Amino acid sequence: MNDAQPVNPRDPNFISQCNAPLRAELEADYDALTLQLQRRGLKIAPIMHAVAAFQVAVPSWGVGTGGTRFARFPGPGEPRNVFDKLEDCAVIHALSGATPTVSLHLPWDQAEPQELRERARELGLGFDAVNSNTFQDQRGQALSYKFGSLTHTDPAVREQAVAHNIHCIHIGEALGSKALTLWIGDGANFPGQQHLAHAFERYLESATKIYAALPADWRLLIEHKMYEPAFYATVIQDWGSSLMAAQSLGTRALCLVDLGHHAPHVNIEMIVARLIRAGKLGGFHFNDSKYGDDDLDAGSIDPYRLFLIFNELVDAQWRRVSALQPAHMLDQSHNVTDPIESLINSAIELQRAYAQALLVDRAQLADCQQRNDVLMAALALKRAFTTDVTPILARARLERGAAIDPIGAYRASAYRNQCAKLRPASASSRSGIV
Ligand code: LRH
Ligand code: MN
């Protein structure tokens, strides 16, 4: 925590004051990269503008300090409610220029929708997909989700879970959201505990009712996950189960890929390529992981994997694949860093992977692939990945009125200090991701 004089980090004057001493150096670096790319037959401006237009939604549950099943160590100035979370999301957007929308989680972010929408509008924010929650029992809830929700053997529990999702759609409509992200933890811990086929049929029966309640311009984003909280079988365990469900539900049911929801070493860019071909790639929950669903900062463990995912997205654009508009969202748990700094940096790491993917010489790559010139094909990707696109990312932020050095500006604002003074420390260090 620093003792700088508190200023409003969203104040455009403050941001341009922070940018002023950095502009000359940025111009020099940007001009040098312009020449470097020119020598490679690449124009920098369209790439910078594409990066400036790239946007990713921030998870409301990511601005508070996260935890594990063992413990959560709250930091200073934790958001106390969804309005504090919106304040923090607005700071992330003002400094990164890349996160104009927030993905809410209900009922964690329960509040009067009009009030929420109005406050978000004042803060220059909108709402991306809303997330339902039938993986916890809420106080006063009639029926427990201990043995599942949309796939529970008791139709009354399934009905309760369907009703909650429809309620989330109604709140999302009032907020201006256009999608429901559907992740359920339903599954089994023991072989034999659950009938694997019947459970999937119950999922389809319930999800069909949720799909029927979608407004005409909404999408249903089905999120698969290999395990946790179920540790033997999960009903929507992998992209295959998710794709089967999306294909059976209808055209506006799509698959959401959370990077942390796969076994180690799974080729996620291949899954992305397949879902693009099926016309069912609905969105991403970006994060990084080394072992399980670690929800670490995007690009912090395996930035090449992140690049390869964006390479598939850019390649599909290059092949003019139609109607490919995946929702980009972060889904992370910040246990040991300032969540605002991690989310700013993660948004930038997504832009970095996107910019690098835009540098791939796709004609040269296609030619090497056709002639099975394996090494040159691999190097065509590596050359793009090893290009330092930092000046493009900073220039894109400058274009959007954001900060050339957003973490530096954030720290100079002493915003976390201000929050620590305004928001009494939350006593509870109860465990759990939020
Ligand atoms: C499940 C998940 C899902 C959210 C939750 C917070 O692991 O990725 O997207 O509902 O995290
Ligand atoms: Mn997720």
Side-chain angles (χ1 to χ4, degrees), residues 17 31 47 50 63 82 100 118 122 126 132 169 182 210-214 234 290 332 346 361 378 427 433:
Q17 270 166 31
D31 295 348
I47 296 169
V63 287
V82 64
E118 183 45 32
E122 286 164 3
S132 58
I169 292 171
L182 183 58
I210 297 170
Y211 186 83
L214 283 181
T234 294
K290 190 149 181 70
Q332 299 175 178
S346 300
D361 182 336
I433 62 166

Side-chain angles (χ1 to χ4, degrees), residues 28-43:
D29 293 349
Y30 190 77
D31 295 348
L33 183 57
T34 301
L35 293 177
Q36 186 196 130
L37 296 183
Q38 249 162 26
R39 285 197 301 275
R40 286 155 59 171
L42 291 162
K43 290 194 179 59

Side-chain angles (χ1 to χ4, degrees), residues 61 223 256 258 261 285 287 331:
W61 61 94
E223 183 177 2
L256 182 141
D258 184 314
H261 289 186
H285 275 178
N287 47 54
D331 179 1

Side-chain angles (χ1 to χ4, degrees), residues 30 38 54 59 68 85 102 120 141 146 150 189 192 196 213 224 227 307 314 326 331 334 338 344 352 397 421 432:
Y30 190 77
Q38 249 162 26
F54 178 88
T68 70
K85 293 177 183 178
V102 180
Q141 185 177 302
K146 178 170 182 173
L150 297 178
N189 278 6
L196 301 182
H224 61 273
Y227 77 100
F307 161 77
V314 172
D331 179 1
H334 310 106
D338 181 319
I344 288 173
R352 183 183 306 284
R397 288 193 294 277
K421 293 198 183 84

Side-chain angles (χ1 to χ4, degrees), residues 254-322:
L254 302 166
C255 305
L256 182 141
V257 178
D258 184 314
L259 275 54
H261 289 186
H262 306 86
H265 316 310
V266 162
N267 187 325
I268 298 177
E269 59 272 21
M270 171 73 90
I271 295 172
V272 170
R274 294 291 175 272
L275 291 174
I276 290 173
R277 186 193 181 286
K280 285 292 187 182
L281 180 65
F284 292 93
H285 275 178
F286 288 110
N287 47 54
D288 213 333
S289 51
K290 190 149 181 70
Y291 306 103
D293 187 19
D294 311 339
D295 282 339
L296 301 174
D297 293 11
S300 63
I301 302 291
D302 189 348
Y304 196 51
R305 179 175 75 169
L306 190 60
F307 161 77
L308 292 172
I309 288 168
F310 275 88
N311 177 54
E312 289 305 321
L313 295 174
V314 172
D315 190 79
Q317 269 171 7
W318 190 68
R319 291 180 285 120
R320 303 195 188 300
V321 170
S322 60

